[in-house]
Every structure is written in structure tokens, then in C-alpha cells.
Amino acid sequence: MISAALYDTKPYDREYFQNALFHEKIDWQFHEFRLSASTAATATGMDAVCIFVNDCLDRTCIAQLSKAGVKLIALRCAGYNNVDLKAAKEFGFTIVRVPAYSPHAVAEHSVGLLLTLNRHIHRAYNRVREHNFSLTGLIGFDLAGKTVGIVGTGKIGRIAAKIYRGFDCRVIAHDISPCHDWAAQQGIEYTSLSGLLNESDIISLHLPLNSETYHLLCRETFKQMKQGVYLVNTSRGGLIDTTGLLEALKADCIGGVALDVYEREGGVFFEDHSGHILQDDELNLLLAYPNVLMTSHQAFLTHEALSEIARITTENIIRLQANQPYIDETVL
Ligand code: NAD
């Protein structure tokens, strides 16, 4: 029987993988800890490893996986910034991922965050539960008529753009590979990054993290934004320079920031740290701002997305055993 070790797993991962079609053909080993060079020895004798967004597959880890006899690296996510692809290629690994498990899940969460932040729904919920029915401090703004800048018009960005069009927003977009036909159909204009930063009331990030996009939003780019801009990031934390963001927040240049991701989220997100002192000063500062709303990398977390992640990953691992080609669009 083929074997697969899953890292950084939670009870819901186990539930969905153990319900996936043909799951019984695989000997699963679920680990709660993350995969990295220091834990790679636990993959010895495994045919496949299955990782998530905060596992760290650097060159040392990949070399150890090769030594351990692992044949397949399966990402149960879309982004792959945590894997040294060059090293993986050198060691002869195939890497599969789940590129589109549910772009709706992520786009819907990003708009949900913006609505919550703008209309102070999170604060109102707490107030009313305390029998405080005052509306003071809860003024928001209409989305209709506002300009939303979508950076990255791939699978998720396009759905977010369409949702904002449904709110009667003007939507502008920036992408290194623009799709003009789609934009024309949706009534969306492409512009340069600086044009988008200049004009947008709301900026929503939907592009991958790589060497080109690392700290895309930083001191220099914050200066190009409108006073009172709202930022939404459900992509990867490293797209935003947190130090620059904190400066812009302190200078009262930013209306609000909704984050599902954070550049040093590894080891913090997905875990319960309540009652403990967080050692990341910038994260502590971010959480202290009243106009910052954060969720813990949960944009993907829907029934549909978890089912699809388990289905595609299970299918690829079975194909490894059957010596069949992996699902085409999943191979990196
Ligand atoms: P996608 O590949 O379909 O689209 C990404 C788009 O970004 C593409 O159109 C690409 O041309 C564009 N792009 C790349 N580099 C760019 C640059 N330098 N400037 C402008 N545009 C650029 O990806 P997707 O499925 O839409 O996902 C977007 C990101 O969302 C992923 O990379 C992933 O990191 C993140 N994500 C987060 C979650 C979550 O739970 N928070 C879940 C899934 C995906």
C-alpha cells in the first residue's frame, strides 16, 4: 500500500482526507507538527509528503526528503512560495498542488473582511452582546460608487472583481498578464500599479508571493495611495512590508486593513496562543490598531474547498502508485 505523511494537520484535514474517494488505498500518517529540515526524518519510508502553507521545504529539507526515499511532494494549497522549486527539481521531485480548490472561498472571504471592517460588524456584534446598543463610532461608507483596485486578476481576483461590480463599485485592475477580453466583458479597466494605487479607495491583493512581489506594498507604495485607503490581503503575508504598514497606520494614512495572512504567520497562525504573550512585536502592534482586522489564514476554509483539496491530493497520490500521469493542471 502506498503511504503518505501529512504535516501541519488539524482534525478537519483528517476528516476530509478520510472521507475522500479511494482514501482507503493510502496508508495515511497525520502529523500536527510542520515539515522542515528538523522534522524531515519523520518522512523516512513514506512515498509522498503532503504539506500546507507554513511547512518549510528549503534545500536542506528537500535533500533530506530525497534521502528518506520520498517520491512525491503534494501541496494541499495553491501557493508554493514555501518550497525551493529549484532544489526540488535538482533532486528529481515532482511537485503537485491544488491550484483551484475554490477560488470562490477566498474571494468571498476577502470581501467579507472588507464589509466587516468598513461597517464595524465585529465591533457591533460584541457591543450588542453586552447590551450596548449605541451606534457611536460605527459609521462606515457605501461601497457603491467607490473605486476598488484588484491587484492580480487570476482565478480569485476575477471573482472578487465580479463581486465588487455587483456592489456597483468601479473596479480597476493591475496584472502582469492582463486579460483584456474578460475586463471588457466585466466593465473593468486595467491600469499600471501606480495608477491603481493612486486611484483606489479599496485595494485588494490577489497575486502570488515571489521575488518580484515580495513587499509589493511598502513605504514607497503606501505613499502613492489615497488618504484613508482600505487594504485587503488574503494572498500571502510577504506581499506587505509590515514595518511600512505600521508607519502608515500610525500616520493615520490608512482607513482600514483586513488581513488573512501575515508575513511571519508560521508558528502563530492555526494555533491557540490565548493566555500567552506573543513574541512578535509587530504582530502585537498590528492587533492593537482598531482599524486592523485579522483572520488566521482561513479564507480557504469552506466545505467545498476542503473536499476538493482532499479529492485532488488523494487522486494524485493514487496515480503515483499506479504510475499514471498526475492531474495535468496540478503539476508545478
Ligand atoms: P492565479 O495564479 O490564478 O492568479 C494570480 C494572478 O496574479 C495572475 O493573473 C498573475 O498574472 C498575477 N500576477 C503574478 N505576478 C504579478 C505581479 N508581479 N503583478 C501583478 N500581477 C501579478 O492565483 P489565484 O488562485 O487567484 O490565487 C492568488 C493567491 O491567493 C495565491 O498565490 C495564493 O498565495 C493566495 N491564496 C490564499 C488563500 C488563503 O486561504 N488565504 C487560499 C488560496 C490562495
Side-chain angles (χ1 to χ4, degrees):
M1 190 184 252
I2 195 156
S3 55
L6 281 81
Y7 293 85
D8 204 7
T9 61
K10 298 286 176 236
Y12 49 77
D13 294 305
R14 193 179 288 241
E15 184 190 327
Y16 278 87
F17 273 89
Q18 289 180 337
N19 279 312
L21 196 63
F22 304 130
H23 69 95
E24 67 286 352
K25 294 188 174 184
I26 300 170
D27 179 13
W28 301 102
Q29 217 177 72
F30 294 92
H31 297 298
E32 287 178 16
F33 55 85
R34 283 177 282 150
L35 180 58
S36 67
S38 61
T39 60
T42 59
T44 305
M46 290 286 131
D47 297 299
V49 290
C50 177
I51 64 163
F52 198 45
V53 294
N54 288 323
D55 295 286
C56 175
L57 269 69
D58 56 15
R59 178 172 288 274
T60 319
C61 178
I62 287 168
Q64 282 175 277
L65 291 179
S66 168
K67 218 165 120 194
V70 171
K71 297 172 200 82
L72 176 69
I73 297 171
L75 282 82
R76 50 182 203 282
C77 53
Y80 48 88
N81 51 289
N82 53 335
V83 180
D84 183 336
L85 291 184
K86 196 164 162 256
K89 207 168 181 185
E90 276 171 37
F91 280 95
F93 278 110
T94 301
I95 302 182
V96 290
R97 62 174 179 144
V98 193
Y101 46 80
S102 173
H104 288 276
V106 185
E108 288 168 14
H109 189 78
S110 73
V111 179
L113 283 177
L114 191 266
L115 286 170
T116 306
L117 184 64
N118 164 32
R119 302 305 300 271
H120 307 282
I121 295 168
H122 53 312
R123 296 176 62 204
Y125 171 80
N126 285 324
R127 273 191 197 183
V128 170
R129 283 176 70 87
E130 301 265 328
H131 298 187
N132 173 356
F133 298 95
S134 154
L135 299 183
T136 305
L138 300 185
I139 299 173
F141 57 81
D142 285 14
L143 282 182
K146 296 294 180 300
T147 299
V148 180
I150 301 284
V151 189
T153 53
K155 292 176 285 298
I156 297 170
R158 287 185 195 200
I159 296 169
K162 200 170 161 193
I163 297 173
Y164 282 116
R165 288 291 289 141
F167 280 114
D168 280 341
C169 293
R170 171 183 175 234
V171 176
I172 57 176
H174 170 70
D175 196 298
I176 43 164
S177 312
C179 180
H180 293 288
D181 287 348
W182 163 79
Q185 272 167 21
Q186 301 291 327
I188 291 166
E189 309 147 47
Y190 275 109
T191 178
S192 62
L193 180 62
S194 52
L196 182 145
L197 299 177
N198 272 303
E199 286 188 51
S200 300
D201 300 300
I202 296 151
I203 296 172
S204 196
L205 302 181
H206 301 288
L207 69 171
L209 174 62
N210 54 40
S211 55
E212 313 257 288
T213 62
Y214 177 71
H215 285 184
L216 182 87
L217 301 191
C218 59
R219 261 185 204 130
E220 291 67 41
T221 41
F222 285 124
K223 283 185 196 140
Q224 298 175 48
M225 296 176 195
K226 271 186 167 176
Q227 168 65 34
V229 66
Y230 274 63
L231 303 176
V232 187
N233 185 11
T234 54
S235 285
R236 284 292 182 268
L239 295 172
I240 299 184
D241 168 22
T242 310
T243 310
L245 173 63
L246 284 166
E247 286 170 8
L249 278 163
K250 191 173 177 190
D252 204 10
C253 297
I254 308 242
V257 187
L259 302 174
D260 186 51
V261 287
Y262 169 65
E263 60 177 325
R264 285 179 298 276
E265 68 181 47
V268 179
F269 280 22
F270 308 133
E271 307 300 332
D272 182 358
H273 296 278
S274 52
H276 297 273
I277 305 292
L278 289 179
Q279 293 304 312
D280 183 333
D281 292 342
E282 290 202 326
L283 179 57
N284 284 323
L285 252 182
L286 268 182
L287 292 171
Y289 274 94
N291 53 347
V292 173
L293 177 66
M294 209 182 268
T295 50
S296 174
H297 208 136
Q298 74 170 78
F300 74 99
L301 200 67
T302 66
H303 167 69
E304 291 76 4
L306 289 170
S307 309
E308 190 63 359
I309 287 170
R311 183 186 74 80
I312 301 250
T313 308
T314 303
E315 171 70 27
N316 270 330
I317 296 171
I318 288 172
R319 288 185 184 204
L320 164 71
Q321 183 180 38
N323 212 10
Q324 287 170 348
Y326 300 109
I327 302 170
D328 233 5
E329 67 274 19
T330 68
V331 179
L332 273 177

